[in-house]
Amino acid sequence: MNTSALRRGISALLLAACALPAPAQGLREVVRERVEQLRDAGPSGPKLEGVSLTEGIARFYEQRDFAPAWNDRSRQEALITELRGLAADGLDPRDYALEQVEKGPASADPDGIAAYDLATTRSYLLALAHLFRGKVDPGSLDAQWNFDARTMTPDQALGYMVDAVKTGNIAAVFKGARPDHPAYERLRAALARLRAVEAAGGWTTIPGGPALKPGVDDPRVALLRKRLAATGDIDAAANDGSTLYDATLEAAVKCFQQEQYLDADGAIGPGTRNALNVPVARRIDQVRVNLERGRWLLHELHDDFVLVDIAGFHINLFRKGESVWSSRVQVGKPYRSSPVFKSEITYLTLNPTWTVPPTILREDVLPKVRRDPKYLERNRIRVLDAAGQELDPKKVNWAKPGAITLRQDSGEGNSLGRAVIRFANPYAVYLHDTPHRELFGASQRAFSSGCIRVENVLELVRLLLNDPAWDPAAIDATLANPATRSVRLAKSVPILLAYWTIDVPENGRVGFKADIYDRDPPLLQALAARPKL
């Protein structure tokens, strides 16, 4: 018998031994003593619905009158199956001491059984907590994080966990801990497909060289076919080894480019080639970090809300959880990134003026004014003192202008366009129209100074007002009057500015977005950190 088989045999004997009727009362007392020692050591580990992991373990056993939970072989095997299955959620089963759970107790005496039982319960509770609300605390990566965590009361959470052990329905409690959202299941399916590609040896890379365009005959075209076949972008019939770049291949490449947020020109230039050549392991990690974001956020996506997909340069209005409107957006440049947060849209402004924010004033506008004395006049920008009184720009010392405010008049050329949609936040960020509409045609649209520029924003204005009195004709009539007008919504609408670097539409295709703000690496690093067990 080899070493591995011997270890499995010993493990099986130990597991069988702990299923034998040990002196029940004596074992309960040993479990009680260990729980008391755990409590005396003080709280440790992550919070589980408001209580520490150690306190959760203690309450778990109190609800069971200190009876061991894992001295039943079928229960143990069910838990082992679920811990192994966490890999499908992008989590690492080793974080939950899977190997120790598989080995069973170190000895068949009450001390060995009790020690194993408490350690296994720790793995059980921790795994469920991570599935329920994420392994990584998002606030540790973003100090301004203000989304509500998915919650239930400690008694509810422990009640589910205790009942699952009592009934032996371990699989059901793990399933219930996962986000109940189609996008989460599509991410899990995407991860499984990518891991299958990795197990088969990954995908072919495309060597550098001149751009591959429709009509060319090049040996690299055969490699391109093989690469696209690996991810289902072309069927087996099209992966025929042909070196001719034909119309079928062109259509597949354009589809790939659209899904990867690239210019869909059908040519394999440097950008598309780089996207094709990203190793499958990196794509797997990209799905894993977005599964974690799903555990943070997907419970928020219900009822009526506006969702800004920052990395996807897109916005959607949802009603009763279904998208009823969508459009393209421009977001903050990498060095002036759009923040991730939630708020409530309460009012909007038609024909807005624009007060130049301090950062833009200091870094953008003042240098332009110093170079060009006509800049303010040409852009219809007024200078105001601290009391709001208008100043003559010619009398301002632009080398040291002091406490001034610059405000652009409403109308043609205003930086906010014709409408602003407002919601409380500490960043002075809002949704708005823009005179730079030509930039919506770009595939990558990180052009703003942090605010969200919305294409066809007046459509969203009408939908948010949700009032027959504010039909398109009424909105146009209001805009025709140069006066600035603010309109309060009859009912506030939640807005979420979120960051995802994966798209998984209903067709199951996977779109990988550029990580424009480099948020994936720190999250991946945090996912890799071993929890304290």
Side-chain angles (χ1 to χ4, degrees):
M1 180 181 294
N2 62 34
T3 303
S4 177
L6 179 62
R7 189 173 69 178
R8 287 196 300 270
I10 294 172
S11 175
L13 288 171
L14 288 171
L15 288 171
C18 75
L20 295 174
Q25 195 58 35
L27 183 53
R28 284 177 189 254
E29 286 305 314
V30 175
V31 170
R32 183 195 298 272
E33 289 172 7
R34 286 187 170 271
V35 167
E36 289 173 354
Q37 292 169 6
L38 197 65
R39 266 206 172 118
D40 290 344
S44 67
K47 292 285 187 180
L48 305 180
E49 303 312 306
V51 301
S52 69
L53 177 57
T54 51
E55 178 62 21
I57 294 169
R59 293 188 188 185
F60 175 87
Y61 282 103
E62 284 174 346
Q63 290 195 25
R64 291 181 53 78
D65 195 23
F66 301 99
W70 307 105
N71 61 339
D72 176 88
R73 181 63 181 273
S74 62
R75 245 183 256 153
Q76 294 162 346
E77 290 179 341
L79 178 60
I80 289 167
T81 296
E82 295 305 318
L83 293 179
R84 288 173 180 160
L86 294 174
D89 296 273
L91 296 169
D92 188 342
R94 292 175 298 178
D95 286 347
Y96 313 100
L98 173 61
E99 187 175 350
Q100 285 70 32
V101 176
E102 290 174 327
K103 285 180 179 178
S107 65
D109 59 38
D111 277 336
I113 295 171
Y116 171 78
D117 212 89
L118 266 70
T120 301
T121 296
R122 180 183 291 267
S123 296
Y124 173 59
L125 299 189
L126 186 62
L128 288 171
H130 287 176
L131 271 183
F132 187 73
R133 60 193 302 178
K135 173 185 173 181
V136 179
D137 175 9
S140 67
L141 302 176
D142 183 352
Q144 303 302 317
W145 182 268
N146 75 338
F147 290 88
D148 296 325
R150 189 178 173 206
T151 60
M152 65 173 66
T153 68
D155 287 343
Q156 283 179 318
L158 283 169
Y160 285 130
M161 297 171 184
V162 171
D163 286 347
V165 170
K166 182 178 179 181
T167 62
N169 204 354
I170 305 299
V173 76
F174 272 79
K175 181 179 179 181
R178 292 183 174 94
D180 183 18
H181 197 284
Y184 191 80
E185 290 308 312
R186 292 197 291 266
L187 281 168
R188 278 167 44 94
L191 181 60
R193 290 196 301 271
L194 288 170
R195 283 186 164 149
V197 172
E198 183 180 46
W203 47 54
T204 302
T205 57
I206 312 302
L212 295 174
K213 298 180 179 180
V216 304
D217 195 320
D218 189 304
R220 292 175 297 156
V221 172
L223 298 176
L224 175 61
R225 291 178 184 277
K226 189 174 180 181
R227 165 62 182 85
L228 293 174
T231 46
D233 291 280
I234 60 172
D235 58 27
N239 183 26
D240 57 5
S242 171
T243 59
L244 177 64
Y245 196 141
D246 58 19
T248 300
L249 190 58
E250 179 187 5
V253 167
K254 285 183 175 179
C255 183
F256 174 86
Q257 290 171 324
Q258 288 172 342
E259 291 175 344
Q260 313 307 316
Y261 293 79
L262 301 166
D263 291 329
D265 58 6
I268 308 297
T272 301
R273 186 173 64 249
N274 289 341
L276 288 164
N277 287 347
V278 172
V280 66
R282 276 180 51 193
R283 293 308 194 195
I284 287 171
D285 285 340
Q286 196 168 346
V287 176
R288 290 181 62 224
V289 298
N290 284 279
L291 277 162
E292 180 72 353
R293 291 184 177 120
R295 292 186 282 269
W296 294 344
L297 284 176
L298 285 174
H299 65 281
E300 297 266 16
L301 306 186
H302 57 85
D303 299 330
D304 298 351
F305 62 96
V306 171
L307 176 64
V308 178
D309 173 8
I310 295 173
F313 312 109
H314 217 79
I315 184 171
N316 286 74
L317 171 63
F318 289 82
R319 286 186 177 155
K320 296 181 180 179
E322 298 292 330
S323 177
V324 298
W325 179 86
S326 66
S327 189
R328 297 181 292 189
V329 299
Q330 300 170 34
V331 303
K333 304 167 187 173
Y335 60 91
R336 288 183 187 166
S337 60
S338 297
V340 172
F341 68 99
K342 66 176 288 189
S343 186
E344 297 269 334
I345 298 172
T346 53
Y347 74 104
L348 51 88
T349 306
L350 301 175
N351 285 327
T353 59
W354 178 51
T355 300
V356 182
T359 300
I360 297 177
L361 174 66
R362 182 177 63 254
E363 298 181 8
D364 298 344
V365 176
L366 284 180
K368 292 177 181 177
V369 172
R370 290 164 186 152
R371 292 194 303 267
D372 180 4
K374 294 290 187 180
Y375 176 84
L376 295 177
E377 179 183 353
R378 190 168 59 253
N379 288 279
R380 300 181 299 107
I381 296 176
R382 301 174 187 271
V383 185
L384 308 177
D385 64 16
Q389 299 299 310
E390 189 170 353
L391 301 175
D392 182 349
K394 296 176 182 177
K395 296 181 179 180
V396 174
N397 177 4
W398 290 106
K400 294 182 179 180
I404 63 164
T405 296
L406 298 186
R407 182 169 297 156
Q408 186 179 38
D409 291 344
S410 63
E412 189 68 27
N414 181 278
S415 293
L416 303 184
R418 298 163 294 173
V420 178
I421 297 169
R422 302 186 186 274
F423 38 93
N425 66 86
Y427 314 102
V429 164
Y430 33 78
L431 310 180
H432 67 88
D433 189 16
T434 176
H436 303 294
R437 298 187 183 98
E438 73 284 356
L439 297 177
F440 287 114
S443 57
Q444 303 287 314
R445 297 187 290 276
F447 298 126
S448 83
S449 291
C451 285
I452 310 299
R453 303 170 181 171
V454 182
E455 187 177 31
N456 302 320
V457 71
L458 295 181
E459 295 177 2
L460 180 57
V461 164
R462 179 178 59 81
L463 290 166
L464 290 172
L465 289 171
N466 198 24
D467 184 343
W470 282 104
D471 61 12
I475 293 172
D476 288 343
T478 302
L479 292 172
N481 184 331
T484 298
R485 180 172 178 182
S486 290
V487 184
R488 186 163 292 276
L489 272 58
K491 180 183 178 182
S492 63
V493 177
I495 180 168
L496 291 73
L497 280 74
Y499 192 87
W500 309 83
T501 56
I502 290 282
D503 263 344
V504 278
E506 291 182 7
N507 64 10
R509 302 284 303 160
V510 182
F512 294 99
K513 309 170 190 176
D515 182 14
I516 56 174
Y517 298 156
D518 291 325
R519 285 176 171 259
D520 282 2
L523 176 50
L524 184 63
Q525 184 177 12
L527 273 175
R530 287 276 179 266
K532 184 179 180 182
L533 291 174

